[in-house]
Amino acid sequence: MTLLAANILIVDDEQAIADLVEVYLKNENYNIFKFYSGKDALNCIENEKLDLAILDVMLPDVDGFSICQQIREKHNFPVIMLTAKEEEIDKITGLTLGADDYITKPFRPLELIARVKAQLRRFTKYNSSEPKQEEHLIAFSGLVLDMDTHECMLNEKKLSLTPTEFSILWVLCSNRGRVVSSEELFHEVWGDKYFTNSNNTVMVHIRHLREKMHDRAEHPKYIKTVWGVGYKIEK
Amino acid sequence: MTLLAANILIVDDEQAIADLVEVYLKNENYNIFKFYSGKDALNCIENEKLDLAILDVMLPDVDGFSICQQIREKHNFPVIMLTAKEEEIDKITGLTLGADDYITKPFRPLELIARVKAQLRRFTKYNSSEPKQEEHLIAFSGLVLDMDTHECMLNEKKLSLTPTEFSILWVLCSNRGRVVSSEELFHEVWGDKYFTNSNNTVMVHIRHLREKMHDRAEHPKYIKTVWGVGYKIEK
DNA sequence: CGTGATATTCAGAAAATCTTAAGATTTTAA
DNA sequence: TTAAAATCTTAAGATTTTCTGAATATCACG
């Protein structure tokens, strides 16, 4: 694994899913190798130096399990399986054998990213002497967000955030200095899982966040409203 | 045995099992030599400096006993046998033929790792002067967990934990400071072999643990619930 | 001002966790 | 080997926390 960015293989015949995963992970600065079929993926496994694979269990040609086996045979990097919730348990048991982790669809983007990072961390821990830079931690001017512990500290004081609140703040912070629209926020946090026209839900959570941060909407110190565009945290 | 990592031989014709064992042990930083047949393994025994072997008793070509005998004849490192539950008689025979330990399938990852470490420890104790760092003991702020004896002490008092309880606490402690999701806990403790959608089982064990630790769910001193994410033990 | 965008509030819905207990399984002891 | 004890799993309902959507209020900009 290079120090700069991990190479991640994505295989899913549902193009929408694969594309989505790609977007999320590219956003995290990973190099993506994406395929809609198992056959193409196998080729990639041989020719690229990969660091992690995300495989759909059910593929039309070569199934995820076989790919996983091939990876195990000749290579050594973590494999995360994607399974639909409805798929039969027996099937999954067999198919996920040997995978390092699995995620059931539909999943939340942040969860996916967290899992990917966890695997890369766990793996590099034993395969590199580099004191990995911590990407699961965001810290600046009195605000600390820790993906591992899901903790949030604001000026030495611990804020107890709900999962959604944490996610929203995380997205805002990792895009610090840039305005993030309600829609974008919604997509980042909830994924395409739900579609709703009302961005009101986001608003309510922003409200709660500001409350917990003692941030008044009139003079928000942290989460600023940019009229007609979205929300932003100052750099 | 090198100071850095032990070389471990795995032989099992059930590829899924061999792969699984490989994953678990690689995770523990061992070098793995894996084979799906006895013949290939014999070759490896001659050419590599091995520190431990994990052998399936039932192999299609050369059986585990024979391999074990060959190891005993020319080499000197511990052998752990893998046996299916039904193979009662073989178990005994295998042991008398010189295996140092045996594990019945299906096994739990933590148990496998513990046994491997125990054997390596036992062996190196007499064959090296290096005071190997002991990873089989976790101790911090009043809590002591001993993988060898499966004992747990909390503030000088011994807690009698069931195997599952011990495993869960062990995983939580070794990931202290990080939130571990129910799913992850489940994987670590039960392995990929068993699969269940309900994390309720984990929950019940957590409950029992908290009970034994006099940890109330409202104000847990030790095992904290991180809503929507998992459980965690403070650093 | 008027209009559309953002805020606030709050109650019901949904989701996650906790508790309990009964039955299944495994281990231990006799 | 069998009986007893210990442990594990599962399920159902209770509880707690979190999320959502509607109704209303407020604000910024023209």
Side-chain angles (χ1 to χ4, degrees):
Chain A
M1 169 177 178
T2 70
L3 272 173
L4 293 169
N7 295 323
I8 298 183
L9 171 72
I10 300 170
V11 191
D12 199 321
D13 61 311
E14 286 182 78
Q15 304 203 359
I17 302 281
D19 294 350
L20 214 59
V21 174
E22 181 185 26
V23 171
Y24 295 140
L25 292 180
K26 269 201 171 149
N27 216 33
E28 296 292 317
N29 231 8
Y30 294 117
N31 299 323
I32 305 303
F33 297 85
K34 181 183 64 179
F35 299 97
Y36 301 136
S37 82
K39 248 184 261 170
D40 300 334
L42 286 177
N43 196 45
C44 173
I45 290 168
E46 297 313 315
N47 298 323
E48 298 291 342
K49 275 195 88 58
L50 296 169
D51 299 295
L52 185 143
I54 299 173
L55 309 175
D56 185 23
V57 176
M58 303 303 268
L59 291 169
D61 50 350
V62 191
D63 69 80
F65 182 45
S66 309
I67 298 177
C68 183
Q69 274 193 314
Q70 301 225 12
I71 291 173
R72 286 275 172 273
E73 268 169 38
K74 300 184 198 153
H75 302 84
N76 178 32
F77 53 80
V79 174
I80 296 176
M81 289 286 199
L82 288 180
T83 76
K85 197 129 202 171
E86 313 85 45
E87 282 171 30
E88 286 176 35
I89 291 166
D90 298 345
K91 231 177 250 172
I92 293 169
T93 312
L95 293 180
T96 57
L97 251 183
D100 297 277
D101 198 359
Y102 63 88
I103 300 173
T104 53
K105 293 189 272 193
F107 50 83
R108 294 186 173 199
L110 276 185
E111 191 185 335
L112 174 77
I113 292 164
R115 301 281 194 94
V116 166
K117 285 184 178 169
Q119 283 305 323
L120 287 176
R121 200 156 50 239
R122 200 168 64 96
F123 185 70
T124 48
K125 186 173 154 194
Y126 297 108
N127 293 279
S128 129
S129 55
E130 302 292 338
K132 259 277 274 167
Q133 62 169 339
E134 306 293 301
E135 287 176 8
H136 53 119
L137 211 145
I138 293 180
F140 65 95
S141 53
L143 186 60
V144 182
L145 285 175
D146 188 332
M147 188 58 116
D148 275 354
T149 60
H150 260 239
E151 267 179 352
C152 171
M153 301 271 282
L154 179 59
N155 300 323
E156 320 294 313
K157 269 172 293 181
K158 209 177 114 184
L159 305 184
S160 67
L161 306 181
T162 72
T164 307
E165 283 159 15
F166 184 90
S167 296
I168 287 178
L169 191 54
W170 180 273
V171 172
L172 284 175
C173 286
S174 47
N175 288 293
R176 163 169 52 120
R178 204 190 110 229
V179 185
V180 184
S181 72
S182 276
E183 285 80 16
E184 196 183 339
L185 256 178
F186 191 86
H187 276 273
E188 288 277 352
V189 175
W190 281 265
D192 284 349
K193 186 154 56 154
Y194 317 88
F195 355 85
T196 181
N197 272 342
S198 106
N199 50 8
N200 178 248
T201 295
V202 172
M203 248 187 238
V204 172
H205 287 292
I206 292 275
R207 152 111 181 88
H208 292 154
L209 264 175
R210 294 214 251 231
E211 204 162 61
K212 287 184 180 174
M213 300 172 87
H214 304 289
D215 221 14
R216 277 163 313 169
E218 311 103 56
H219 294 291
K221 252 178 81 180
Y222 302 104
I223 303 174
K224 302 206 167 156
T225 304
V226 181
W227 244 78
V229 191
Y231 301 95
K232 149 175 111 155
I233 285 184
E234 240 28 288
K235 197 155 221 167
Chain B
M1 169 175 178
T2 70
L3 272 173
L4 292 169
N7 295 322
I8 298 182
L9 171 72
I10 301 170
V11 191
D12 198 320
D13 61 310
E14 284 183 79
Q15 303 202 359
I17 301 283
D19 294 350
L20 214 58
V21 173
E22 181 185 25
V23 170
Y24 295 139
L25 293 180
K26 268 201 172 150
N27 218 29
E28 296 292 318
N29 210 22
Y30 295 117
N31 298 323
I32 305 304
F33 297 85
K34 181 183 64 179
F35 299 96
Y36 301 137
S37 81
K39 246 183 264 172
D40 299 333
L42 286 176
N43 196 45
C44 173
I45 290 167
E46 297 313 315
N47 298 324
E48 298 290 342
K49 276 194 85 61
L50 296 169
D51 300 294
L52 185 143
I54 299 173
L55 309 175
D56 185 23
V57 177
M58 303 300 270
L59 290 170
D61 50 350
V62 191
D63 69 81
F65 297 151
S66 309
I67 298 176
C68 184
Q69 278 190 312
Q70 300 222 14
I71 291 173
R72 284 280 169 270
E73 269 169 37
K74 301 184 198 153
H75 301 85
N76 179 33
F77 54 81
V79 174
I80 297 175
M81 288 287 200
L82 287 180
T83 77
K85 194 121 203 175
E86 310 84 47
E87 301 164 337
E88 292 281 331
I89 302 155
D90 297 322
K91 178 162 60 179
I92 300 158
T93 318
L95 279 176
T96 54
L97 275 178
D100 298 275
D101 197 359
Y102 62 90
I103 300 173
T104 53
K105 293 188 274 193
F107 51 84
R108 297 180 175 200
L110 277 183
E111 192 184 332
L112 174 77
I113 292 164
R115 303 281 194 93
V116 166
K117 283 184 178 168
Q119 284 305 322
L120 287 175
R121 201 153 51 238
R122 196 177 62 93
F123 186 70
T124 49
K125 191 171 154 192
Y126 297 110
N127 293 277
S128 128
S129 55
E130 301 294 337
K132 257 281 266 154
Q133 63 167 342
E134 305 293 299
E135 288 177 6
H136 57 117
L137 212 145
I138 292 180
F140 65 96
S141 54
L143 186 60
V144 182
L145 287 175
D146 188 332
M147 184 59 110
D148 277 351
T149 59
H150 262 232
E151 269 178 350
C152 170
M153 301 272 281
L154 179 59
N155 300 323
E156 320 295 313
K157 269 171 291 180
K158 205 178 123 185
L159 304 184
S160 67
L161 304 182
T162 70
T164 307
E165 282 159 14
F166 183 89
S167 295
I168 287 178
L169 190 54
W170 179 272
V171 172
L172 284 176
C173 285
S174 48
N175 287 291
R176 170 166 47 118
R178 206 189 110 230
V179 184
V180 184
S181 71
S182 293
E183 273 184 12
E184 196 182 338
L185 256 178
F186 193 86
H187 273 282
E188 290 277 353
V189 175
W190 280 263
D192 287 327
K193 185 129 203 159
Y194 312 83
F195 183 100
T196 182
N197 267 344
S198 104
N199 51 7
N200 181 248
T201 296
V202 172
M203 250 188 236
V204 172
H205 287 292
I206 291 274
R207 155 122 178 80
H208 292 154
L209 262 175
R210 292 214 251 230
E211 209 159 58
K212 288 184 180 174
M213 299 173 88
H214 304 288
D215 222 13
R216 278 164 313 167
E218 311 103 56
H219 294 291
K221 253 180 82 180
Y222 302 103
I223 304 174
K224 302 206 167 156
T225 302
V226 181
W227 254 82
V229 190
Y231 299 95
K232 135 178 121 157
I233 285 184
E234 248 15 297
K235 197 156 221 166

